[in-house]
């Protein structure tokens, strides 16, 4: 009776400490999956002299305790038990228990074979587990034939490698990771002006902290959204995006938002972050978590707007269209959203790029599994 809860605690504890739950601020049961082989080998070795019925009863009780403990933690800390992830964990744990039991009960002529095979089982399970999670957490891309998203920005998303034009031409564009991720989600058209490059019918517009726009461009944005268009607008009252050029160089991103005339027309006012808020902060919208930095707050909003994240993000109806207003352009800065291990998207720190893709292309950003972000502090 002691073995089952001990193994369950070991699995849950491994997911919290080694699986990344504590580090990422997530309570996903699935993050324990790559670590299952070791606890199940310990259980199989612990009861190697027991009869088969006793071994399987103990394993079943371990799975029940593990699932109950993880479901309670997820529900208390994230508001959802994560049933799909728990189902995967139960099935994977049963498979790991079976493999570990067969290995421990194996009696080959060369007695060291089980001891040599055990590390291979742990390493192989770890690699396959992370590969499976990468697939299950992988966001969907825009459906085939989706119109291109028009991007207007003053941030160095393209030609971000430096200031030597000859070297950049020789090395290629060296796109910023944010632009690379957006382009991986769907077709993109990066433009310098909206006067001659209005979004196509059914398309969307991403305005990310642009330089000063001509009145005709501001009118083009307003006309596009009012006519039923979709837009995501990043307007940072005090951007912390790193400058690659000397202070005052026009090639640097704007320090503050230059979209005030457009926001005023929509009856919205953006205020800067206070001095004690110059730090990364989490912003939750539904099941998604964004990470902002020194985000401004909308101190006035029209009745057609709904506020999120302490008024740092607005969802506004403008005419027959919709605009998401974010008081922070730094959310595109790669260190705020990239996974802690390069290429391991399932270990991401935020849903920023998935959230953005979902609002630029209908159907993009959806995935089989989504992170369960911790929203309550553990006692």
């Amino acid at each position: 009776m002691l073995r089952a809860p001990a193994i369950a605690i070991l699995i849950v504890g491994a997911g919290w400490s080694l699986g990344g739950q504590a580090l990422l601020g997530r309570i996903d049961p699935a993050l324990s999956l790559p670590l299952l082989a070791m606890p199940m080998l310990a259980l199989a070795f612990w009861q190697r002299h027991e009869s088969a019925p006793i071994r399987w009863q103990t394993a079943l009780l371990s799975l029940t305790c593990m699932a109950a403990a993880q479901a309670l933690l997820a529900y208390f800390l994230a508001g959802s038990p994560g049933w799909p992830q728990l189902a995967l964990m139960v099935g994977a744990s049963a498979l790991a228990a079976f493999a570990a039991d067969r290995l421990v009960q194996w009696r080959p002529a060369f007695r060291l074979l089980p001891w040599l095979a055990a590390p291979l089982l742990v390493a192989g399970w770890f690699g396959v587990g992370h590969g499976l999670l990468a697939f299950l957490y992988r966001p969907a891309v825009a459906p085939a034939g989706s119109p291109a998203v028009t991007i207007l920005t003053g941030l160095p998303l393209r030609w971000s490698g430096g200031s030597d034009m000859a070297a950049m031409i020789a090395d290629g564009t060296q796109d910023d990771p944010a632009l690379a991720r957006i382009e991986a989600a769907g077709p993109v058209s990066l433009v310098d002006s909206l006067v001659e490059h209005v979004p196509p019918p059914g398309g969307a517009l991403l305005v990310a902290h642009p330089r000063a726009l001509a009145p005709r461009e501001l009118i083009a944005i307003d006309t596009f959204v009012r006519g039923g268009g979709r837009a995501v607008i990043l307007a940072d009252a005090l951007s912390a995006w790193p400058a690659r050029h000397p202070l005052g160089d026009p090639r640097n991103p704007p320090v503050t938002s230059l979209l005030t005339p457009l926001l005023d027309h929509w009856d919205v006012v953006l205020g800067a972050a206070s001095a004690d808020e110059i730090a990364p902060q989490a912003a939750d919208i539904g099941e998604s978590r964004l990470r902002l930095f020194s985000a401004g707050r909308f101190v006035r909003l029209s009745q057609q707007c709904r506020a999120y994240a302490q008024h740092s993000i607005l969802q506004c109806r403008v005419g027959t269209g919709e605009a998401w207003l974010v008081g922070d352009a730094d959310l595109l800065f790669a260190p705020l959203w990239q996974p802690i291990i390069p290429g391991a998207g399932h270990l991401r720190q935020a849903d920023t790029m998935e959230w953005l893709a979902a609002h630029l292309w209908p159907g993009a950003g959806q995935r089989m599994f989504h992170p369960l972000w911790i929203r309550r502090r553990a006692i």
Side-chain angles (χ1 to χ4, degrees):
M1 294 298 295
L2 294 177
R3 296 170 184 171
I7 295 300
I9 292 173
L10 182 59
I11 294 174
V12 174
W16 177 259
S17 58
L18 302 178
Q21 292 177 343
L23 179 63
L24 298 172
R26 294 161 51 179
I27 196 65
D28 304 28
L31 291 179
S32 301
L33 189 148
L35 306 171
L36 288 176
M38 183 65 77
M40 291 309 175
L41 277 172
L43 177 61
F45 184 79
W46 195 356
Q47 56 180 3
R48 62 190 181 280
H49 300 305
E50 302 288 351
S51 63
I54 294 296
R55 297 200 306 270
W56 291 117
Q57 289 175 14
T58 307
L60 180 61
L61 185 57
S62 298
L63 300 187
T64 303
C65 293
M66 178 274 296
Q70 191 66 72
L72 288 174
L73 277 174
Y75 183 78
F76 178 75
L77 296 178
S80 171
W83 296 120
Q85 297 191 32
L86 282 175
L88 173 67
M89 280 293 295
V90 170
S93 298
L95 179 60
F98 176 79
D101 183 78
R102 292 298 87 200
L103 181 59
V104 170
Q105 296 298 320
W106 185 27
R107 297 293 183 268
F110 183 52
R111 296 183 179 181
L112 290 180
L113 276 180
W115 295 95
L116 296 175
L120 295 178
L121 174 62
V122 173
W125 187 278
F126 183 84
V128 171
H130 276 291
L132 179 60
L133 293 184
F135 172 77
L136 294 174
Y137 281 93
R138 182 178 60 184
V141 299
S146 297
V149 167
T150 302
I151 300 180
L152 178 67
T153 182
L155 302 174
L157 301 185
R158 177 145 286 169
W159 304 105
S160 60
S163 58
D164 187 338
M165 183 60 69
M168 288 192 293
I169 293 175
D171 296 338
T173 58
Q174 298 184 10
D175 289 347
D176 185 87
L179 181 59
R181 278 294 306 273
I182 295 173
E183 290 182 326
V188 163
S189 175
L190 194 63
V191 301
D192 295 324
S193 171
L194 290 176
V195 174
E196 298 179 356
H197 303 282
V198 294
L205 176 63
L206 172 60
V207 181
H209 200 59
R211 295 179 174 85
L213 300 180
R216 292 173 60 191
E217 294 181 289
L218 297 174
I219 293 173
I221 296 174
D222 179 68
T223 302
F224 169 73
V225 178
R226 287 187 185 277
R230 293 172 288 108
V232 177
I233 298 177
L234 313 183
D236 203 322
L238 183 61
S239 174
W241 196 281
R244 290 187 170 88
H245 308 287
L247 185 65
D249 193 309
R251 292 173 295 179
N252 289 326
V255 175
T256 188
S257 172
L258 302 176
L259 292 172
T260 301
L262 177 65
L263 300 183
D264 284 344
H265 185 60
W266 290 348
D267 198 23
V268 171
V269 174
L270 175 64
S274 60
D276 58 349
E277 295 177 323
I278 309 300
Q281 62 191 77
D284 294 328
I285 304 178
E287 296 179 342
S288 299
R289 169 162 293 177
L290 313 184
R291 292 187 72 210
L292 311 177
F293 188 88
S294 66
R297 289 191 173 91
F298 294 95
V299 295
R300 189 181 76 197
L301 56 152
S302 73
Q303 295 181 350
Q304 302 301 315
C305 295
R306 179 179 180 183
Y308 298 89
Q310 298 180 336
H311 286 236
S312 292
I313 300 174
L314 299 183
Q315 179 187 19
C316 298
R317 298 296 303 178
V318 181
T320 58
E322 178 185 74
W324 282 86
L325 309 179
V326 182
D328 182 38
D330 300 322
L331 89 165
L332 292 181
F333 190 48
L336 290 177
W337 56 264
Q338 282 184 319
I340 56 175
I341 298 176
H346 59 292
L347 299 178
R348 60 180 173 268
Q349 306 176 70
D351 295 321
T352 302
M353 306 314 293
E354 290 76 16
W355 178 87
L356 190 60
H359 288 88
L360 295 177
W361 296 278
Q366 299 176 0
R367 58 267 186 192
M368 299 178 67
F369 280 6
H370 62 82
L372 299 180
W373 300 101
I374 295 175
R375 291 176 167 82
R376 303 178 186 175
R377 291 185 178 181
I379 298 177

